[in-house]
Amino acid sequence: MSLLKQLLLSVSLAILIILGGTLWLSVDSARSYLNTQLQAQTDSAATSLALTLSQPSNQDPVTQELIIMAQFDSGQFSRIALHDPAGVSLLNRQTEGGSKGDAPQWFTRLLPVLVAESAAQVSDGWRQVGQVYLQADATYARDTLWHSFTRLVAWVLGAGVVWAVFVLFLIRWLRRMLHDDVTLQLKALTHHDPSSVQSTHKSHKKSTFSELSEVTQAIASARESILLTTEEQHAKIESLEIELNQDAVTGLVNRKYFVNELRRQLENAQSKGGWLFLFRQRDLAEINRIMARSNVDEWLRSLSEQLQVVLQRYGSEPSQFTLARLNGSDFVILGTDVEAAVMQQLVKEVQTILRQQRIQFSNGAFCRWAMAQTDFKSGQFLAHVLGRLDQALMRAESAGHNLVEQLTSDQVADSADQPKGGETQWRAIIQEGLIHNRFSLHLQTTAFKQQLWHEATLQLQSTPTQNDLLLGYQFMPVATRLGLSGVCDLRAFELALDWLAKHPSERLIMRVSLSSITQDSFSEQVAKQFAIAGLENTRRLYIELDAYSLVSEPVAVSSFGVMLNEYHVKLGVRRALSLPRVLLDLTIYKAAYLRTQVSELLEITQKTGGNIMLRSALDIAKQAGVTFVLLGNSAELSATTRQMLQEYGIGAE
């Protein structure tokens, strides 16, 4: 409610109270006056009637009755009685039922008029012959008071209606005047054109109300003050916006800015799409533990500056690439309207910087980066794009390597490859699969030394009615994040041993998640399964681990390898040449063979000194009694490399 309405309402309420009080006082005063007059008239009539009856000529009873009847018939009294000196009634006249009159009962109860009574002595000379008693009829007094009350109420209501109409027009008039004198000037405060304010000020030099002159001057002064401080306020707002959208440590844009920018690109119909490259520092907690906070902040700032230099070199426009820090350990590069080849080259340079800026721990290991990449196109949903990126990141974390896991929109075109929602939905799918035995093995056949080897991958039927199979690379990263990889791998061991029992002449290769090996009692539960299956089945089982697993968790992996060796299960290592220091500890991990791809050899041998490193690795493997398995087309290798492999009796399978 406006101040003006409150003021007028207060005045109206005060007037209403005054009129109501005046009405009540007037009616009450009239009632008191009527009571007094009625009592005085009754006293006078009683005295006059007593004197008349005291006359010697009126001592006759018949004459007295006639006089009393004449007085009673006047209608002013409701009762007239004559008593002898002993109190015996000689004559009594009174109205039957009383006169109702015009006044309603509620009014009579609220403002009662007193019934006047009076008595006088009747004498004969000095001798008292009786007493006359009169009771006045108050009907006429009540009717008079009621008619006076109704006239006053009608007058008050009429005055109230007139006041209400007056207030209605007064409010409109005051609003118009205030709009002309104040509102226009207040609105002018929001304009940045001084000329408009000056014209408004000139047109209102003199206010309609003298009381508003000071207000007008105060508004003009406030306008001048606002104009002086506007630029300063704008600068503060810009500073706050920068703080809101920037990371405090690195100065990069934060998650909020990144999400808004990505949403804008997805909603822009003119956009050609782009790429997202996410990299997470998996060991930031350990880095914060061994290093001072200021040193960690400086390391992050240096890393961000180097990455921004690379982005500036690749971007044709300043806004083509955006580097954001989503949280403490996650960084993302948003590239808009970028070709895939350009993005891949950029990712390689970013990988080089990340590799060079790694921090080495006391055990000799370096901090790890998990990297994921996906594309986006105009019209796609933000949740779907971020879901693909998160799924690719989970794959990178589960694999444990330093490669980029890429999951594009074309790769998830099949419904089976679509992300299954959030972690809650994934947890339900995996747990229902465990309860209802929806896990199975997906087998691929590999030829090695003129024998067929079957490589098993765990797969999951996500729904009971549909043939919607999820392969291990789709759900195991999520299971790792949810802490369910151990139970999934135990089910994989159970299925593998059952398959070996049904195929007594076959060999089976199976992969195990590093997160499962590090879980408590996992090795003991696997050993129980081996003991039940028997050595005739376990000796034909081969377990493969990524070389990085041996470096990141050497104690857990070596203990797991010893357990496998007890049951004659062979342990294989993938990508061992990417981490040459793993070769020195093959006997500790009880490794039986090394498995590498031709593409991996190509990457190594093309570097300076690559053939020397390869020969050293082959010598170490030979001395340790570890078989070297090469998969792929050896024709892609150089003649020198092929000759070296032939010397060690190694050929591509």
Side-chain angles (χ1 to χ4, degrees):
M1 184 181 294
S2 65
L3 180 62
L4 181 60
K5 288 184 178 180
Q6 292 182 12
L7 178 61
L8 293 176
L9 182 61
S10 301
V11 173
S12 301
L13 183 60
I15 292 176
L16 180 62
I17 293 174
I18 292 173
L19 290 177
T22 302
L23 174 63
W24 177 263
L25 291 176
S26 299
V27 174
D28 189 63
S29 298
R31 183 180 67 87
S32 299
Y33 174 78
L34 289 175
N35 286 334
T36 303
Q37 288 295 104
L38 191 59
Q39 185 65 46
Q41 291 177 5
T42 302
D43 293 342
S44 176
T47 302
S48 176
L49 181 60
L51 291 175
T52 301
L53 295 176
S54 298
Q55 296 296 322
S57 59
N58 296 330
Q59 294 295 322
D60 182 58
V62 175
T63 304
Q64 290 180 345
E65 183 178 359
L66 292 175
I67 294 173
I68 291 175
M69 287 295 296
Q71 185 70 30
F72 180 78
D73 291 339
S74 65
Q76 298 181 8
F77 304 96
S78 61
R79 181 187 177 193
I80 300 177
L82 177 64
H83 302 277
D84 61 8
V88 178
S89 176
L90 301 176
L91 185 63
N92 185 22
R93 294 289 183 272
Q94 63 181 13
T95 58
E96 298 294 335
S99 179
K100 295 183 178 180
D102 298 331
Q105 293 294 327
W106 64 266
F107 181 77
T108 302
R109 289 192 299 269
L110 183 64
L111 293 171
V113 176
L114 299 179
V115 177
E117 298 177 350
S118 183
Q121 299 294 327
V122 179
S123 60
D124 183 11
W126 296 99
R127 183 175 62 87
Q128 180 180 357
V129 295
Q131 185 182 36
V132 64
Y133 170 79
L134 278 77
Q135 185 180 53
D137 189 352
T139 302
Y140 300 107
R142 284 195 295 269
D143 291 345
T144 301
L145 185 62
W146 166 249
H147 293 313
S148 176
F149 173 77
T150 54
R151 286 192 297 272
L152 286 174
V153 169
W155 183 88
V156 168
L157 291 177
V161 172
V162 173
W163 171 252
V165 174
F166 171 74
V167 166
L168 180 63
F169 284 98
L170 180 63
I171 289 177
R172 293 181 179 179
W173 181 73
L174 287 176
R175 281 181 175 175
R176 186 172 63 253
M177 293 299 100
L178 290 175
H179 179 271
D180 294 340
D181 279 3
V182 178
T183 307
L184 291 178
Q185 298 189 45
L186 290 175
K187 289 182 178 180
L189 292 177
T190 60
H191 300 321
H192 297 283
D193 185 10
S195 60
S196 63
V197 182
Q198 292 177 1
S199 61
T200 304
H201 181 67
K202 290 179 180 178
S203 62
H204 293 84
K205 277 186 176 181
K206 187 175 181 180
S207 301
T208 306
F209 303 101
S210 59
E211 291 82 357
L212 295 179
S213 299
E214 296 181 359
V215 176
T216 304
Q217 295 176 1
I219 293 175
S221 300
R223 173 64 187 180
E224 295 176 359
S225 176
I226 291 174
L227 289 176
L228 293 176
T229 58
T230 298
E231 293 299 328
E232 180 182 353
Q233 295 298 325
H234 283 314
K236 290 182 179 180
I237 292 173
E238 292 177 0
S239 176
L240 291 175
E241 289 179 349
I242 292 175
E243 293 180 3
L244 184 63
N245 294 319
Q246 282 189 346
D247 177 61
V249 176
T250 61
L252 303 176
V253 296
N254 57 14
R255 182 183 185 88
K256 179 181 178 182
Y257 182 92
F258 161 74
V259 172
N260 290 335
E261 181 65 19
L262 178 58
R263 182 183 289 109
R264 188 177 65 85
Q265 293 296 332
L266 294 175
E267 295 175 354
N268 184 10
Q270 306 299 326
S271 176
K272 299 178 181 179
W275 292 85
L276 293 173
F277 176 57
L278 175 66
F279 45 99
R280 168 177 291 178
Q281 176 48 244
R282 302 181 63 185
D283 300 310
L284 186 60
E286 181 65 17
I287 293 174
N288 286 325
R289 189 182 66 82
I290 65 175
M291 294 178 60
R293 183 65 176 269
S294 58
N295 293 338
V296 177
D297 292 346
E298 184 61 33
W299 173 63
L300 292 174
R301 279 192 293 268
S302 175
L303 180 64
S304 303
E305 292 172 358
Q306 295 182 51
L307 294 176
Q308 285 180 312
V309 171
V310 175
L311 296 181
Q312 291 174 1
R313 188 168 67 250
Y314 273 85
S316 58
E317 298 179 1
S319 60
Q320 189 172 14
F321 289 100
T322 301
L323 176 61
R325 187 185 185 193
L326 303 183
N327 50 47
S329 58
D330 290 355
F331 296 80
V332 66
I333 295 177
L334 169 64
T336 57
D337 300 335
V338 182
E339 298 294 335
V342 177
M343 190 66 188
Q344 295 308 313
Q345 187 63 32
L346 170 63
V347 168
K348 288 183 179 180
E349 291 202 26
V350 171
Q351 283 182 282
T352 302
I353 294 176
L354 297 179
R355 185 167 53 251
Q356 293 173 350
Q357 295 297 317
R358 290 182 301 173
I359 295 176
Q360 188 174 17
F361 300 126
S362 57
N363 60 358
F366 289 89
C367 63
R368 303 168 297 169
W369 291 97
M371 293 169 283
Q373 184 177 350
T374 189
D375 63 336
F376 65 88
K377 300 175 183 177
S378 177
Q380 292 181 339
F381 292 105
L382 177 66
H384 290 176
V385 175
L386 296 180
R388 291 199 307 270
L389 189 63
D390 185 59
Q391 189 171 359
L393 181 64
M394 286 189 291
R395 292 184 186 179
E397 290 178 328
S398 177
H401 53 59
N402 57 355
L403 304 179
V404 179
E405 286 287 346
Q406 182 171 302
L407 185 62
T408 64
S409 55
D410 294 335
Q411 291 174 326
V412 298
D414 185 5
S415 60
D417 290 331
Q418 289 288 353
K420 299 298 179 183
E423 293 183 357
T424 302
Q425 188 173 355
W426 271 111
R427 184 186 296 275
I429 292 175
I430 296 174
Q431 289 179 342
E432 288 179 3
L434 292 169
I435 295 173
H436 300 291
N437 296 320
R438 296 177 188 166
F439 283 93
S440 59
L441 293 180
H442 175 73
L443 299 179
Q444 290 181 335
T445 304
T446 303
F448 176 60
K449 293 187 181 298
Q450 299 180 352
Q451 293 181 351
L452 293 180
W453 297 60
H454 302 279
E455 187 170 355
T457 304
L458 192 63
Q459 62 184 8
L460 169 63
Q461 183 180 353
S462 61
T463 57
T465 57
Q466 301 177 359
N467 189 21
D468 188 7
L469 292 178
L470 301 175
L471 297 179
Y473 74 89
Q474 293 175 286
F475 66 86
M476 282 303 292
V478 187
T480 299
R481 178 178 291 185
L482 297 176
L484 299 175
S485 62
V487 290
C488 292
D489 280 331
L490 287 174
R491 182 60 57 86
F493 272 109
E494 181 181 346
L495 295 172
L497 294 172
D498 183 65
W499 186 89
L500 288 171
K502 295 177 181 179
H503 301 80
S505 61
E506 304 292 345
R507 291 173 172 81
L508 188 64
I509 301 174
M510 193 177 72
R511 298 182 181 183
V512 181
S513 300
L514 177 62
S515 60
S516 300
I517 297 175
T518 57
Q519 291 181 10
D520 296 338
S521 73
F522 177 78
S523 295
E524 289 78 359
Q525 295 182 56
V526 175
K528 292 179 181 179
Q529 293 185 3
F530 288 165
I532 297 174
L535 295 179
E536 65 275 8
N537 293 323
T538 59
R539 68 174 68 253
R540 292 181 287 115
L541 180 62
Y542 293 77
I543 302 299
E544 281 193 2
L545 297 178
D546 191 274
Y548 188 80
S549 302
L550 280 64
V551 177
S552 59
E553 296 290 344
V555 177
V557 173
S558 61
S559 176
F560 186 70
V562 171
M563 186 274 297
L564 295 178
N565 188 60
E566 292 177 0
Y567 292 93
H568 302 283
V569 178
K570 309 300 187 296
L571 176 63
V573 181
R574 300 189 309 272
R575 290 192 287 266
L577 297 181
S578 300
L579 292 172
R581 65 178 181 273
V582 173
L583 301 172
L584 301 176
D585 299 325
L586 290 177
T587 56
I588 298 177
Y589 302 115
K590 305 298 181 182
Y593 67 93
L594 301 179
R595 184 179 178 184
T596 187
Q597 299 284 343
V598 170
S599 58
E600 186 179 357
L601 286 186
L602 284 173
E603 183 180 356
I604 294 174
T605 56
Q606 288 175 358
K607 298 179 181 178
T608 304
N611 284 326
I612 298 176
M613 189 193 74
L614 177 59
R615 182 177 293 275
S616 300
L618 294 175
D619 288 336
I620 295 173
K622 184 177 181 180
Q623 293 174 5
V626 178
T627 304
F628 195 92
V629 181
L630 179 62
L631 300 179
N633 186 6
S634 60
E636 300 178 5
L637 300 173
S638 64
T640 304
T641 305
R642 290 199 303 271
Q643 182 180 359
M644 183 191 310
L645 294 175
Q646 290 175 0
E647 294 176 5
Y648 289 89
I650 300 172
E653 300 294 336

